[in-house]
Amino acid sequence: MRYSIIYYLIKKTFSSSNNFLGLIRFLYRIKNKLNIYQIIRKKIVADLILKFHGHRLLFKQCDLSMLSSLYEIFGKEIYRININKNKVKIVVDLGSFCGFYLLYAYFIYPKSKIISLEPYLENFKNLEKMILDNKLDQNRIFIINKAISNKDGIGKLYLGESNLCCSTVDLKRKSYRKIQTISLPTFKRDYRLNEIDILKMDIEGAEHDFIYALAKKQIYQISNIVCELHEIPDKTIEKLVDYLKSQGFNIVRYDKAGSNYVFSRL
C-alpha cells in the first residue's frame, strides 16, 4: 500500500520533473502517507503528521488546497532563503492562511519573532488552532485578524472559490465580507518595527498596491521578500518585479509553476 500511494502521487499529482526533489522531500517528511492518498483520491479531509527539524507537526482536517500549500512550503520549500538563519529577528507574514509558512519560519529561524496577518476569520481560527496544536511559544508569535492596507479602518475582503483565494482587490467577485484593515505605519508603530528581515506575502493581488505604496525609506527597511505574485487588471507581475529590482532587490529564486519569488538585497 505504501508504494502504491507514492506511485499515485508521482503519476497523478506531482508529475513535473522540476518538482521531483520537492516531492521526495515532502513524502519523506509526512509520516502518515495513507492520509495523503485519502485526501487526493477520495477527496476527504484528514489529519497529517509532518516531521520537520526534529519536530512532529500536526495539521488537522487538511483538504486538497491545504495539502497543496503544505507541499509547496515543506516539500518544494518555495520560500527558502540562503541566509544566516540565527540572524533573522523579524518575520512578517501577510496572508497567513492557516499558518503553514508561520510554522516553517518558526523552526527555520529559531531566534525570530513572527507577526502574521490573516483577515479571513475562518482561516484565522484555524491559524489559532494550529499554534495551539503544535505547542508553539506564543512569546515569539503575534497573529492579527486584519488585512494590511493603505489606511486603518474597515475594508472589503472579496471571496474566492476556496479559503485560499480571498483578496482585498475587487476582481469582479460578488461575495465579500467586511474586515478590519491596518496601515503599514500603524502596524510598524504598534509592533515597534524598524527593520524587517523577511516579508512574506500571499495576498492574492493586493501585493501590487502594497508594494507601490511603500515609501522609499520603508522599502529599504526590508531585507528579503518571499511571495506569490498575481496578475491583476492593469498591474502585471513583470512590472512589479522590475520595480522591486529598481529598489535594490535581486531575484534569488523563482518557481514558475506558482509564480513564487524570493527577492533579497545582495
Side-chain angles (χ1 to χ4, degrees):
M1 174 63 75
R2 179 182 177 185
Y3 292 105
S4 66
I5 295 168
I6 294 173
Y7 174 76
Y8 180 82
L9 285 172
I10 292 173
K11 183 178 179 182
K12 296 293 185 182
T13 311
F14 307 110
S15 58
S16 170
S17 60
N18 294 332
N19 298 334
F20 185 72
L21 289 178
L23 170 62
I24 296 302
R25 187 185 299 117
F26 186 63
L27 289 173
Y28 174 76
R29 288 173 171 169
I30 292 291
K31 298 307 171 186
N32 51 345
K33 297 176 179 59
L34 177 60
N35 284 8
I36 299 180
Y37 182 82
Q38 302 281 3
I39 294 168
I40 295 173
R41 190 68 180 268
K42 296 187 177 181
K43 295 181 172 56
I44 62 174
V45 297
D47 295 350
L48 291 174
I49 298 170
L50 185 148
K51 192 170 183 180
F52 186 66
H53 279 237
H55 298 268
R56 289 173 66 88
L57 308 181
L58 174 63
F59 300 94
K60 290 186 176 180
Q61 297 294 292
C62 290
D63 59 16
L64 195 56
S65 65
M66 295 169 73
L67 175 64
S68 176
S69 294
L70 282 172
Y71 163 65
E72 287 192 331
I73 291 172
F74 290 96
K76 291 169 67 176
E77 294 196 53
I78 55 174
Y79 296 142
R80 185 178 73 252
I81 310 175
N82 296 322
I83 56 177
N84 187 327
K85 296 176 176 56
N86 289 317
K87 289 187 176 181
V88 174
K89 302 302 181 185
I90 299 293
V91 178
V92 173
D93 178 10
L94 303 183
S96 191
F97 184 43
C98 296
F100 299 157
Y101 178 74
L102 181 155
L103 203 56
Y104 177 85
Y106 180 90
F107 291 107
I108 288 287
Y109 311 114
K111 296 183 179 180
S112 66
K113 178 170 70 173
I114 305 166
I115 307 169
S116 292
L117 284 81
E118 173 51 54
Y120 190 51
L121 185 58
E122 284 81 350
N123 289 345
F124 185 79
K125 289 179 179 178
N126 288 332
L127 172 60
E128 289 181 312
K129 288 171 58 179
M130 188 276 298
I131 291 171
L132 293 175
D133 289 340
N134 289 284
K135 299 179 174 60
L136 304 186
D137 180 0
Q138 296 188 41
N139 291 319
R140 287 184 53 201
I141 296 170
F142 302 86
I143 58 174
I144 308 167
N145 186 209
K146 295 182 181 181
I148 202 74
S149 179
N150 60 354
K151 63 180 180 179
D152 303 313
I154 302 296
K156 291 180 179 179
L157 186 71
Y158 297 91
L159 307 182
E161 295 180 358
S162 75
N163 293 5
L164 273 170
C165 301
C166 303
S167 176
T168 55
V169 177
D170 185 358
L171 300 175
K172 308 303 180 184
R173 296 169 178 169
K174 294 181 179 179
S175 299
Y176 69 86
R177 293 185 183 179
K178 290 186 177 181
I179 55 166
Q180 289 187 304
T181 62
I182 185 171
S183 66
L184 185 64
T186 301
F187 173 64
K188 292 181 70 177
R189 182 199 67 210
D190 289 353
Y191 290 90
R192 300 179 182 179
L193 299 180
N194 290 317
E195 305 292 327
I196 297 174
D197 296 301
I198 300 174
L199 172 66
K200 175 260 182 182
M201 296 187 296
D202 188 357
I203 48 180
E204 300 299 320
E207 64 272 8
H208 294 269
D209 288 343
F210 173 73
I211 290 294
Y212 289 134
L214 291 177
K216 183 167 289 189
K217 179 181 178 181
Q218 293 171 333
I219 201 167
Y220 273 90
Q221 291 173 335
I222 302 169
S223 299
N224 302 276
I225 299 175
V226 298
C227 57
E228 179 178 322
L229 299 183
H230 307 79
E231 293 275 354
I232 61 174
D234 301 321
K235 293 174 183 176
T236 67
I237 291 175
E238 183 180 3
K239 287 183 178 179
L240 185 56
V241 169
D242 288 342
Y243 177 76
L244 287 170
K245 287 180 178 179
S246 74
Q247 301 302 308
F249 286 99
N250 295 277
I251 299 174
V252 297
R253 181 170 290 109
Y254 167 55
D255 176 51
K256 184 177 180 180
S259 294
N260 299 299
Y261 289 79
V262 175
F263 298 93
S264 293
R265 295 188 185 279
L266 302 178

